[in-house]
Amino acid sequence: MKLAIASLLVGSAAAFAPAASFGRNSALNMAETSTETEKAFAKLPASVKPGVVTGSALTDLLDAAKEQGYAIPGVNIVGTNSINACMEAAAKYGGPIMVTFSKGGGQFICGKAVDNTDDAASIAGTIAGARHVHEVAALYGVPVVLHTDHCQKAWLPWIDGLLSASVDHFEKTGSPLFSSHMLDLSEEPLEENIGICKDYLEKFAKVGILLEFELGVTGGEEDGVDNTDVDSSRLYTQPEEVFYAYEQLSQVENGAFTCAASFGNVHGVYAPGNVDLQPLILYNSQKYIQEKIGSDDDKPMRFVFHGGSGSSVEDIQYAIGAGVIKMNIDTDTQWAFWDGIRAYEAKYHDYLQGQIGNPEDDTKPNKKYYDPRMSLRAGEEAMAARLVKAAEDLKCVNVLN
C-alpha cells in the first residue's frame, strides 16, 4: 500500500490535561451542551454528531479512535469535487473523515487567476471551501473534521486570516469555522517552534480549535513543502523532544493539541523498501511520556502519520497500535481522481472527439459525454473507492454504528 500521508500527529489525552474537564462555558463545549446526551452514533461519544466536528466533540472523536484502535483518513483536497468524494467515501465505509486544506489548495479554490498578494486568495479559497463543507457535511451522515495542512513560519498570515474567520464564526454560532490547524515550524529550533505554537494555541483555545504541530521533518515534497534533501537524522524525532512540546503546550488553559512527530515518513510515491519507517519511536515516546507524567494510560499521546508512501500495511497498523489516530493521504487520492477521469476518456473516447458525430451516427450530439460533470463524477467515484480501501487499511470501517 502506498498511502501518501504526511507526518505523525501526537496529542495526548493527558496532553489536554488542563482541559480534560472543560468547564461548561468553555469554547470546547458551548456548541455541544444541548445535545450531548443524544447519541447519533452507537460507537462514538454523544458529543459527536453528523457534520463538522469541533471543540470537545473533536477530542472525544480522537480519543475514541485511539481507544478503539483505528486511524481517520486525513485527505488533502483541491475543490468541491475532492471534498465531496471524501464525504462520499466516509458514508460508504462508515467512519469519520478529515477534509484537509493546504495553502495552495485554498488558492486553487479561489482561482489561480486571482492575485494572491498577502495570501488573499489562499485565505478566501480556504474559507469558501470550509463553508461548503459546513453546508453539506451533515447530509452525508458522518463526522467531518475541517483541518489545514503544513503551515510554515512564512505562511502564518494564512492561518491568521483563517483564525479571524473562525473567531467571527464562533461569535455567531458558538463553534469555530475550522476544527484544527497544523503549524509546521519543524525547520525552526525546537524552542522557537514550540514557543510560536504555544502563542497560537492560546488563541485557538479561546474558540475551540485544536493545534497540530510538527517535530522533526517529513521527507519528500508536497504542495510547496520540499524536504527532498533534508539530513536523514531529522526524519526521526526523539521522545525527549515530544515530551518537551507536550509539557510546554499543556500549560495552555483549555488547549487541545496533537503532534506530527517524524519517524522516517516521506511524502510522495516510493517503491516498498525505499522508506525506512521506524514506528517503534512512537512506542518509545508513549512510554517516556507515561513515565514522566505518571499516567496509567500506556498511550497518553495521540499520533498522526504523515508521509506513509512505501510503507507496508503491517507497519501502518503497527503505528496505529502506538496511538496513531489520523493518517494524511494526498498522492494516492490525486492519482485515483486522475485515473477515474482517464478511464472515462478511454471508455468514451470516440464520443469525445467532437460536439457532433460518434460511432452511432454522424449527426448525433455528444453533449452528454463531454459535459464536465460526467468526467468529474468519474474522478470522484474513483477517489472515493480509493479512500474506502485506505479506510480498510486504517481499520476505520464501520466504526460509527
Side-chain angles (χ1 to χ4, degrees), residues 194-276:
I194 301 308
I196 295 174
C197 285
K198 189 174 182 180
D199 288 342
Y200 272 86
L201 184 56
E202 294 276 3
K203 303 172 187 177
F204 290 174
K206 294 177 181 178
V207 292
I209 295 174
L210 180 143
L211 165 72
E212 175 184 343
F213 66 97
E214 179 158 348
L215 296 175
V217 174
T218 301
E221 181 177 4
E222 181 183 50
D223 208 349
V225 179
D226 188 352
N227 292 321
T228 52
D229 297 322
V230 71
D231 187 316
S232 61
S233 66
R234 297 185 65 197
L235 299 178
Y236 302 95
T237 302
Q238 299 305 307
E240 293 84 357
E241 297 172 316
V242 179
F243 177 70
Y244 171 79
Y246 164 80
E247 186 177 41
Q248 291 296 310
L249 296 177
S250 293
Q251 296 171 11
V252 177
E253 184 177 3
N254 288 333
F257 59 86
T258 54
C259 163
S262 300
F263 57 105
N265 327 56
V266 180
H267 288 138
V269 179
Y270 301 88
N274 287 349
V275 176
D276 184 17

Side-chain angles (χ1 to χ4, degrees), residues 32 34-41 44-49:
E32 294 94 2
S34 63
T35 57
E36 62 183 2
T37 59
E38 303 171 11
K39 294 196 72 169
F41 305 110
L44 292 178
S47 61
V48 182
K49 308 293 183 183

Side-chain angles (χ1 to χ4, degrees), residues 334-349:
Q334 287 181 341
W335 171 258
F337 196 98
W338 155 247
D339 201 38
I341 293 176
R342 181 205 56 75
Y344 177 84
E345 192 282 331
K347 181 177 181 179
Y348 296 108
H349 177 82

Side-chain angles (χ1 to χ4, degrees), residues 171-188:
E171 290 173 350
K172 295 175 181 176
T173 68
S175 62
L177 185 64
F178 293 92
S179 308
S180 53
H181 295 301
M182 179 190 183
L183 301 187
D184 180 3
L185 305 175
S186 56
E187 293 184 356
E188 314 305 324

Side-chain angles (χ1 to χ4, degrees), residues 68-325:
Q68 296 172 31
Y70 61 88
I72 301 168
V75 189
N76 283 63
I77 58 81
V78 295
T80 57
N81 293 111
S82 48
I83 289 172
N84 295 347
C86 289
M87 295 186 289
E88 178 180 347
K92 288 181 177 179
Y93 64 68
I97 188 75
M98 185 174 291
V99 174
T100 305
F101 295 84
S102 66
K103 181 172 173 286
Q107 181 185 8
F108 190 81
I109 291 171
C110 182
K112 292 291 285 186
V114 177
D115 183 5
N116 199 30
T117 300
D118 297 327
D119 297 323
S122 292
I123 293 169
T126 306
I127 291 172
R131 287 176 176 161
H132 168 78
V133 176
H134 273 274
E135 286 295 323
V136 305
L139 300 177
Y140 287 86
V142 297
V144 179
V145 181
L146 268 177
H147 182 62
T148 61
D149 209 3
H150 298 266
C151 177
Q152 300 173 339
K153 185 176 180 180
W155 295 355
L156 287 173
W158 173 52
I159 294 297
D160 293 337
L162 304 184
L163 176 58
S164 178
S166 273
V167 169
D168 183 62
H169 195 268
F170 181 82
E171 290 173 350
K172 295 175 181 176
T173 68
S175 62
L177 185 64
F178 293 92
S179 308
S180 53
H181 295 301
M182 179 190 183
L183 301 187
D184 180 3
L185 305 175
S186 56
E187 293 184 356
E188 314 305 324
L190 178 63
E191 292 77 10
E192 182 179 0
N193 175 355
I194 301 308
I196 295 174
C197 285
K198 189 174 182 180
D199 288 342
Y200 272 86
L201 184 56
E202 294 276 3
K203 303 172 187 177
F204 290 174
K206 294 177 181 178
V207 292
I209 295 174
L210 180 143
L211 165 72
E212 175 184 343
F213 66 97
E214 179 158 348
L215 296 175
V217 174
T218 301
E221 181 177 4
E222 181 183 50
D223 208 349
V225 179
D226 188 352
N227 292 321
T228 52
D229 297 322
V230 71
D231 187 316
S232 61
S233 66
R234 297 185 65 197
L235 299 178
Y236 302 95
T237 302
Q238 299 305 307
E240 293 84 357
E241 297 172 316
V242 179
F243 177 70
Y244 171 79
Y246 164 80
E247 186 177 41
Q248 291 296 310
L249 296 177
S250 293
Q251 296 171 11
V252 177
E253 184 177 3
N254 288 333
F257 59 86
T258 54
C259 163
S262 300
F263 57 105
N265 327 56
V266 180
H267 288 138
V269 179
Y270 301 88
N274 287 349
V275 176
D276 184 17
L277 202 66
Q278 298 289 337
L280 183 62
I281 289 174
L282 310 185
Y283 287 88
N284 291 341
S285 294
Q286 295 282 30
K287 183 178 179 181
Y288 187 87
I289 295 168
Q290 180 188 18
E291 291 174 352
K292 283 290 187 179
I293 65 176
S295 174
D296 293 331
D297 186 356
D298 63 353
K299 290 184 286 189
M301 300 295 290
R302 301 188 189 101
F303 292 94
V304 169
F305 190 162
H306 288 229
S309 294
S311 305
S312 67
V313 175
E314 291 73 20
D315 276 349
I316 291 169
Q317 293 187 348
Y318 181 65
I320 292 173
V324 166
I325 47 78

